[in-house]
Structures are given as structure tokens and as C-alpha cells.
Amino acid sequence: MRLAAVYYDGRNAKAHPVTLCLEGDKLLLQGKEIVRRDAISALEIQPPLGSTPRVVLFADGARCEVADNRGFAELFPGADSRVAVLENSWRWSGLALLLVLALAGAGYLWGLPYAAQRLAQRIPAELAASLDREVLADLDGKVFQTSRLSPDRRRGLEARVAELVLPDPAGRPGAIEFRFSAELGPNAFALPGGTVVVLDALVELAEDDQEIVAVLLHEMGHVAGRHALRQMLQASAVGLAMAWYIGDFSNMLAAAPALMLEARYSRDFERDADRFAAEALQANAIPPGRLADMLLKLETARQRGLDAKLGAGSDYLSSHPTSEERIQRLRSQ
Ligand SMILES: [Zn+2]
């Protein structure tokens, strides 16, 4: 097969009408007073660009253009790889861009949480526990002060928690730490290593120990799912990427303990922790509605505007939008 083409020798702008055909692994180009044979492997075939003529570049700077796109594709069947054909279409380019964005989004939404989950399972308990000690050491004296609850009261609550029947032993906290915080108000936190921090105001807000236990069981649900650790790993992966981009790691490291307090668990984590709490409450003959009672109380405390100065970073208070849904679900158990 012979294909009509226009040849430019690379030395001047004159266009020479020529024909192209294949001779084994060579391209034979013939025109008036022009004959050249070039190994196909030495040619650069430019990817198609819409319906503009196809361009073949020669090693010596010469070029030729083929207007017959279809004929060109027949002459060089290997040249139009699928990638080239896809590149050719703006529509495909747009789709490819969307796909890349979707993949990046999926990676962020699912890949990162999945990686964090897998990693959280592999972090040794001692390492996670030492992380808790560091977080506490950093927060003590800043946002946390020594608990003002009597030692008896604290020991009593610890004993109460120790004797609870749990649906999953992994929810058993490594330690329970009582603290006073003027800033954070009624609250409890699960730290990455499984320590549960209980603030005095939470104990004082509760009508009885059942309500305290209900909230602690919710936190123990976070411990069982290693939610704080997963959250921290995810945040630090994003933080690392940002630090790498900005080139500043010191800020990220300094922000780690504060990050703990600002942890806003996903709805899924909250739901899991509520489910754990509801199961455990039933197993310990406490109505799951007691957790709902306590959530309402925390909600009311929040609505009183206390949290404006108490800080917005707390587990219960910041999950506010889902509170009603959570209360409904707990009440229906
Ligand atoms: Zn929670």
C-alpha cells in the first residue's frame, strides 16, 4: 500500500509530494528526485492530534505529514497505541482527568483509612501506651490539671469499670486517668494507646454512676476499634504530606497533642462506639438509654453556650450533628 504524504527535508520550507510504503522494517519514501529508506524504529511518529495530519519525524530533522489518518493507521498499525487513541480525544482526556480525581478522592476516603486501620493493628501495645504517656505529659499543666475528685471516688469508678463485662476484651482501657480541665468541660477521651481520660466535670454532670459508665463504655468502643490511633495515623499521613509540601515538619510535631483533643471521629467510628456501648450496657444490665440520657445532658451543656469557652474540640460536643440520630438509635435498643 502506498500513502500520499508531504515531505519537508528539514533544510528549507519547500513541501515535496511523496508516497510512503513499507519495505520490511523500513519505511520507503519516494518523490520526485527523493528516495529515502529509514528503519521504522528510528522514526518518531507523533501521537494523533484531532484530525490534523499525522506527522513522522526523521532522525535528521526531516519530517513528513500524512493527511489520510485512516491510511496512516493502516500503514503503521502499531503506532496508534490505545493510549495515543485515547489521548486523541478531548472527551477521553476529560474522562481521564475525572478518573484521576476520583481515584485520588477514593484513595483519600478509603485507601488512607484502610491503611491506617491495618497499621493501627500492627502497632505494638507498649508503643501505643508510651504514646499515651507522652500525650498526657504534654497536656498536663496546659489543658489538664490534677483531678479534684477524691481518691476514693476515682478508685470506686476504676473498680466499677474493671468489673464490667465487655463484648470485646480489646475495649478494656489500658488505664483510666482522671483530670480536671477548666477549658474542656464535661468530657472523656480515648487516647491512641487505649488510655481513657475522664474529666471531673463529666463525673459531676452525671446523675449516677450508670451514666458515667455509659459514656466510658462509648469511649471503650473507641478503644476496641483503635479509633484514636487510626485517626491519628490518618491525620499524620495528611500532615506529613502537607509538611513535605510546605517543607516544615516542626509545626506538625508540635501540633500532635493538640490534634488529639481536636479529633473529630467519623460518623462510622461514633456508630461503632455507640454499638459497642449499647451491647456492653445490655450485658451489664444497664439500659442503653442511659447513654442517650447522658448525650442529651452533654448536648444541653453545649447549647448553654458553655462550649464556646470550653473549646470545641471534644468528642461528644463536636459530633453534635449526629447526636440526635445517635440518641434515637440508643433509645430504640
Ligand atoms: Zn465518640
Side-chain angles (χ1 to χ4, degrees):
M1 129 177 215
R2 279 177 182 279
L3 201 57
V6 181
Y7 177 72
Y8 301 90
D9 64 14
R11 287 184 291 274
N12 61 52
K14 189 173 189 300
H16 305 272
V18 295
T19 61
L20 304 177
C21 68
L22 292 186
E23 269 188 3
D25 59 356
K26 288 198 164 68
L27 176 71
L28 171 63
L29 180 144
Q30 286 175 296
K32 206 168 150 193
E33 296 166 2
I34 303 171
V35 177
R36 65 181 292 171
R37 282 185 181 79
D38 292 79
I40 290 169
S41 58
L43 303 174
E44 185 188 333
I45 296 169
Q46 298 210 320
L49 198 72
S51 56
T52 58
R54 298 300 305 264
V55 176
V56 177
L57 298 175
F58 296 87
D60 60 3
R63 61 186 272 142
C64 90
E65 293 179 1
V66 180
D68 178 359
N69 269 309
R70 187 168 299 177
F72 187 88
E74 280 173 38
L75 190 68
F76 297 105
D80 289 350
S81 65
R82 187 152 294 243
V83 171
V85 170
L86 289 180
E87 272 175 1
N88 184 35
S89 154
W90 285 110
R91 196 156 56 107
W92 280 107
S93 304
L95 275 175
L97 178 66
L98 279 180
L99 193 67
V100 166
L101 288 177
L103 275 176
Y108 180 74
L109 283 177
W110 296 298
L112 188 56
Y114 178 73
Q117 185 195 354
R118 296 298 298 266
L119 195 56
Q121 310 290 351
R122 285 159 187 264
I123 288 185
E126 316 88 76
L127 180 66
S130 71
L131 199 63
D132 285 5
R133 283 193 295 276
E134 274 178 46
V135 169
L136 272 177
D138 192 82
L139 295 173
D140 279 338
K142 288 183 191 158
V143 279
F144 291 165
Q145 280 91 46
T146 313
S147 171
R148 297 170 187 186
L149 300 174
S150 74
D152 276 358
R153 181 76 175 111
R154 284 181 264 155
R155 270 195 296 273
L157 283 171
E158 278 169 354
R160 184 84 171 81
V161 169
E163 70 197 14
L164 288 171
V165 180
L166 299 185
D168 179 357
R172 183 86 51 204
I176 297 195
E177 296 280 347
F178 294 91
R179 293 291 188 277
F180 172 83
S181 173
E183 293 166 59
L184 297 170
N187 234 307
F189 312 90
L191 299 185
T195 302
V196 172
V197 179
V198 186
L199 299 185
D200 290 359
L202 181 92
V203 176
E204 284 154 11
L205 184 71
E207 197 166 289
D208 54 28
D209 286 2
Q210 283 196 348
E211 287 188 347
I212 301 171
V213 163
V215 169
L216 294 188
L217 280 171
H218 171 89
E219 289 309 312
M220 286 152 79
H222 286 311
V223 171
R226 297 203 143 194
H227 293 164
L229 195 54
R230 285 159 67 180
Q231 185 99 357
M232 202 191 68
L233 288 169
Q234 285 183 38
S236 45
V238 173
L240 269 176
M242 296 267 291
W244 172 77
Y245 185 72
I246 300 165
D248 183 4
F249 288 88
S250 53
N251 277 346
M252 194 199 100
L253 292 176
L259 210 74
M260 276 315 314
L261 293 181
E262 303 239 333
R264 281 149 209 258
Y265 291 127
S266 68
R267 275 164 173 256
D268 286 348
F269 282 3
E270 287 309 324
R271 200 167 297 152
D272 285 356
D274 280 345
R275 195 180 298 128
F276 180 98
E279 270 183 59
L281 285 166
Q282 275 167 337
N284 292 279
I286 302 173
R290 298 312 308 274
L291 178 54
D293 294 345
M294 197 57 189
L295 286 176
L296 268 181
K297 248 178 247 184
L298 291 161
E299 183 75 11
T300 310
R302 195 194 68 83
Q303 277 169 357
R304 271 193 216 119
L306 289 175
D307 66 324
K309 65 175 196 298
L310 295 178
S314 65
D315 180 0
Y316 297 96
L317 307 184
S318 63
S319 53
H320 164 60
T322 58
S323 276
E324 197 158 324
E325 178 193 332
R326 292 170 59 196
I327 288 164
Q328 296 285 335
R329 203 168 35 229
L330 288 163
R331 288 234 190 276
S332 68
Q333 303 249 353

